[in-house]
Amino acid sequence: MKVAVFSTKVYDRKFLSTVNSPTQHELVFFEPRLNRDTAILAAGFPAVCVFVHDQVDAPTLKLLASRGTRLVVLRCAGFNNVDLQAAADLGVTVVRVPAYSPYGVAEHAVGLILSLNRKIHRAYNRVREGNFSLDGLLGFNLHERTVGIVGTGKIGLILGQIMKGFGCHILAYDVYRNPELEALGGKYVELPELFANSDIISLHCPLTPETHHLINAEAIEKIKSGVMLINTSRGALIDTQAVIEGLKSGKIGYLGVDVYEQESELFFEDLSGEIIQDDIFQRLTTFPNVLITGHQAFFTAEALHNIAETTFANIADVENGRPCANEIRAQPSA
Ligand code: NAD
């Protein structure tokens, strides 16, 4: 199938081209993101392949459909950037890669936890400058601490397994219980109980209208003072302004994020020579107890290979009229 691949970087081209070679789809790589201004690039392509920052909203879908596109292939798990109802109305099929790197993302969350706790990001700079003082580097044992996991699907479960290995207690909240997490000794509680009793809170649920700003001023009131908050899921799970207030008051003791609500203006680009206009983001970078990575939790060789394999399997299913297990549809309204 002829596929217009948007938001491509060198690494995307490398993995997609390598995995495609026996399959022989006709891939045309575009660097720009897909949105209503760039949709014209896909004219005549039956499929577009997109990533997390492409805007697959109703106007973009209308433009795509009017020029022959019938398939949107997400090379990511989250689909909050796609208007599924508009796609359904236009007869456009949407497929995704539901799991490509659950270990990579969970391991990155653990990396943030360890770095923040033991201040490795600060120690790295100090030692390079010949400063071997330990002042300000005091950490805590993870053993016997309580980790609250919000969203216990693939990534949340793996984080639970890893943290269990550190000797942590696991509290969990999800709209569905995961028996594997319970078998691990994880205890499901309501959110206020998780907030009140967790030393570390890690978010692993999708971004939906229900989870938007899950961590807001009201939630921060309920959390244990000095909590470590980790978000490797989607930026808008957190009300960043409220979290900044929480950091200033000390209620939030540590913040580790791989995602940020306005990240599409920043992440995946080299802006080191630019003046960053986002004052909220810039404020976040001033805290010594905040560690930010630019949506790299998924970024392992295994993940890029899996993304490419599943992407082509999804395209082949749709092309050959087979049911695709990774198709996503709008939820029927209640
Ligand atoms: P998953 O679907 O396996 O698990 C998500 C869990 O969240 C499910 O158990 C679901 O029941 C639960 N959930 C849904 N609504 C909820 C709610 N309102 N409250 C609490 N829990 C709720 O997904 P996953 O593979 O574990 O991925 C989790 C999230 O991680 C994805 O949605 C995606 O946004 C994010 N992600 C980030 C990266 C990255 O590079 N930073 C990479 C992959 C995925």
Side-chain angles (χ1 to χ4, degrees):
M1 192 181 279
K2 202 172 161 201
V3 188
V5 191
F6 283 86
S7 296
T8 55
K9 301 284 184 197
V10 172
Y11 45 83
D12 295 307
R13 290 169 196 230
K14 179 180 159 202
F15 279 88
L16 288 168
S17 301
T18 305
V19 176
N20 181 47
S21 61
T23 325
Q24 307 279 308
H25 290 293
E26 190 185 331
L27 306 182
V28 178
F29 294 110
F30 295 107
E31 278 181 39
R33 291 177 185 172
L34 174 64
N35 55 39
R36 48 194 92 171
D37 297 325
T38 59
I40 185 73
L41 293 169
F45 284 79
V48 294
C49 180
V50 298
F51 198 49
V52 293
H53 292 155
D54 294 288
Q55 283 170 24
V56 197
D57 53 13
T60 305
L61 283 161
K62 269 188 201 138
L63 288 166
L64 290 173
S66 70
R67 291 176 174 88
T69 298
R70 289 287 168 267
L71 175 62
V72 171
V73 186
L74 290 162
R75 39 184 209 280
C76 54
F79 49 87
N80 50 288
N81 54 334
V82 184
D83 187 331
L84 290 178
Q85 190 56 58
D89 294 345
L90 292 160
V92 173
T93 304
V94 183
V95 293
R96 67 170 180 147
V97 183
Y100 45 91
S101 179
Y103 287 96
V105 179
E107 288 167 13
H108 191 80
V110 177
L112 292 174
I113 292 169
L114 290 172
S115 299
L116 279 167
N117 174 17
R118 307 306 297 268
K119 284 97 176 154
I120 293 169
H121 53 303
R122 301 186 65 197
Y124 172 81
N125 286 324
R126 275 195 195 184
V127 169
R128 283 163 69 94
E129 287 177 11
N131 175 358
F132 304 103
S133 160
L134 298 185
D135 285 340
L137 299 186
L138 191 67
F140 58 84
N141 286 357
L142 287 173
H143 187 252
E144 294 289 355
R145 295 283 174 162
T146 298
V147 180
I149 303 176
V150 181
T152 53
K154 291 174 285 297
I155 297 170
L157 172 66
I158 295 167
L159 180 76
Q161 291 166 338
I162 299 173
M163 298 317 290
K164 199 72 193 165
F166 280 104
C168 293
H169 306 287
I170 310 293
L171 292 179
Y173 173 77
D174 197 307
V175 285
Y176 301 105
R177 288 180 175 220
N178 184 339
E180 284 188 77
L181 191 97
E182 290 183 302
L184 203 65
K187 186 179 165 210
Y188 279 93
V189 294
E190 290 303 315
L191 263 187
E193 192 177 339
L194 182 145
F195 287 154
N197 294 300
S198 300
D199 300 297
I200 299 169
I201 297 172
S202 196
L203 306 179
H204 300 286
C205 55
L207 175 62
T208 63
E210 292 75 42
T211 61
H212 182 263
H213 286 188
L214 183 86
I215 304 295
N216 56 15
E218 203 186 323
I220 294 168
E221 282 278 301
K222 297 187 183 123
I223 58 177
K224 197 167 175 177
S225 203
V227 74
M228 181 187 290
L229 179 62
I230 303 292
N231 185 12
T232 57
S233 209
R234 283 292 179 267
L237 295 181
I238 283 182
D239 175 348
T240 313
Q241 192 60 61
V243 164
I244 287 174
E245 293 310 316
L247 285 161
K248 283 164 74 177
S249 71
K251 192 83 196 277
I252 297 173
Y254 313 78
L255 175 71
V257 292
D258 184 53
V259 286
Y260 168 62
E261 186 163 7
Q262 310 302 336
E263 70 175 53
S264 64
E265 304 295 318
L266 304 169
F267 288 3
F268 303 143
E269 305 302 330
D270 179 359
L271 304 179
S272 53
E274 312 274 323
I275 306 296
I276 306 269
Q277 299 294 329
D278 183 333
D279 292 344
I280 296 179
F281 183 82
Q282 290 301 80
R283 179 68 177 102
L284 269 188
T285 63
T286 66
F287 293 96
N289 51 349
V290 171
L291 185 49
I292 307 172
T293 53
H295 209 136
Q296 69 171 86
F298 76 98
F299 197 56
T300 64
E302 291 84 352
L304 293 190
H305 185 84
N306 292 341
I307 286 171
E309 276 197 337
T310 306
T311 293
F312 296 127
N314 288 343
I315 295 171
D317 280 345
V318 176
E319 193 174 25
N320 294 306
R322 293 190 296 259
C324 178
N326 297 327
E327 181 175 346
I328 36 173
R329 294 194 177 94
Q331 295 296 321
S333 46

